[in-house]
Amino acid sequence: MEQRKKKIPQRQCLGCNEHKPKGELLRVVRSPEGEISLDFTGKKSGRGAYICRSLDCLKKARKSRRIDRNLDCTIPDEVYDRMETELSENE
């Protein structure tokens, strides 16, 4: 029997609009309580949006408010600032 190729899930980065394997991207998650955070493991529960693991993509997505629209909420500037700090520490 032929071995089936495992399908790798693709996600679109909200910064650069490129489709990439889910594992390469960073998940921004809105928890059921409404808290916004970066999910480096991809395991947190809640609604997720994906961006590349680069500060540029986060800044582009911030400028265009695409993460806000994707997660159906308004993200305060201090949350974006915290995410930028977290991302630059983990780059």
Side-chain angles (χ1 to χ4, degrees):
M1 283 210 318
E2 241 183 81
Q3 191 88 41
R4 278 210 162 166
K5 274 200 175 142
K6 193 171 181 220
K7 190 173 179 289
I8 298 167
Q10 298 277 314
R11 295 290 181 268
Q12 185 176 12
C13 169
L14 294 177
C16 63
N17 279 333
E18 283 181 36
H19 285 83
K20 297 185 177 180
K22 189 174 153 185
E24 286 179 20
L25 297 172
L26 179 62
R27 190 165 175 252
V28 181
V29 69
R30 175 176 50 94
S31 69
E33 297 78 46
E35 191 186 327
I36 308 289
S37 62
L38 291 179
D39 181 6
F40 290 95
T41 60
K43 303 268 190 280
K44 290 183 183 175
S45 68
R47 178 135 177 84
Y50 291 86
I51 56 163
C52 295
R53 292 176 183 264
S54 81
L55 218 46
D56 288 347
C57 285
L58 179 59
K59 286 181 176 164
K60 280 183 202 162
R62 176 182 188 169
K63 193 172 176 221
S64 61
R65 292 272 175 214
R66 290 181 69 177
I67 297 175
D68 302 48
R69 271 180 278 157
N70 213 282
L71 298 180
D72 281 336
C73 65
T74 303
I75 302 174
D77 283 337
E78 57 269 15
V79 174
Y80 271 118
D81 295 338
R82 192 188 72 222
M83 288 196 302
E84 284 180 13
T85 308
E86 238 182 285
L87 189 57
S88 57
E89 287 167 4
N90 284 288
E91 249 184 327

